[in-house]
Amino acid sequence: MLHIGSGGSVYTTNPGFITLKNAKLVNNGIFSAIGGNFLINGNAPTDDTTIEGSGTTDFDKLTMDKSSNGLKLNQNIRVNGTLQFVKGLIYTNGN
């Protein structure tokens, strides 16, 4: 799990690369990928691969490549650049 607490922040720039494999992103602060790539992969159940929290979550390039199951959004996210689907589903859950 990548957990960003209230008041915390994570910023990435080119050529930054973060992989979330079989894990959750819990953001209660600021996550801003200004350049770089954020990859979601693995085969964990959908309920174990989520983006959630109360903070602002912005991606420049988001790549979805799960060999099975999907990603569940439990908060709104923004993709300001490229959203690439290699394999897998994103369940927006009303977000």
Side-chain angles (χ1 to χ4, degrees):
M1 174 189 324
L2 173 58
H3 184 267
I4 303 166
S6 178
S9 57
V10 173
Y11 295 93
T12 65
T13 58
N14 275 333
F17 196 93
I18 296 176
T19 299
L20 187 67
K21 182 173 184 174
N22 295 326
K24 297 181 179 197
L25 169 59
V26 179
N27 178 19
N28 293 313
I30 298 171
F31 178 87
S32 186
I34 307 164
N37 188 17
F38 193 92
L39 171 67
I40 298 169
N41 67 5
N43 60 359
T46 300
D47 285 340
D48 293 336
T49 308
T50 63
I51 297 176
E52 57 190 75
S54 59
T56 303
T57 305
D58 292 322
F59 300 97
D60 181 51
K61 182 177 181 185
L62 177 61
T63 302
M64 177 69 178
D65 189 9
K66 286 198 68 179
S67 58
S68 62
N69 302 306
L71 165 70
K72 183 193 265 182
L73 298 180
N74 290 328
Q75 73 161 194
N76 292 330
I77 65 169
R78 280 188 293 223
V79 179
N80 299 311
T82 305
L83 175 59
Q84 180 180 17
F85 286 90
V86 177
K87 189 172 184 182
L89 300 171
I90 296 178
Y91 299 92
T92 60
N93 211 23
N95 292 293

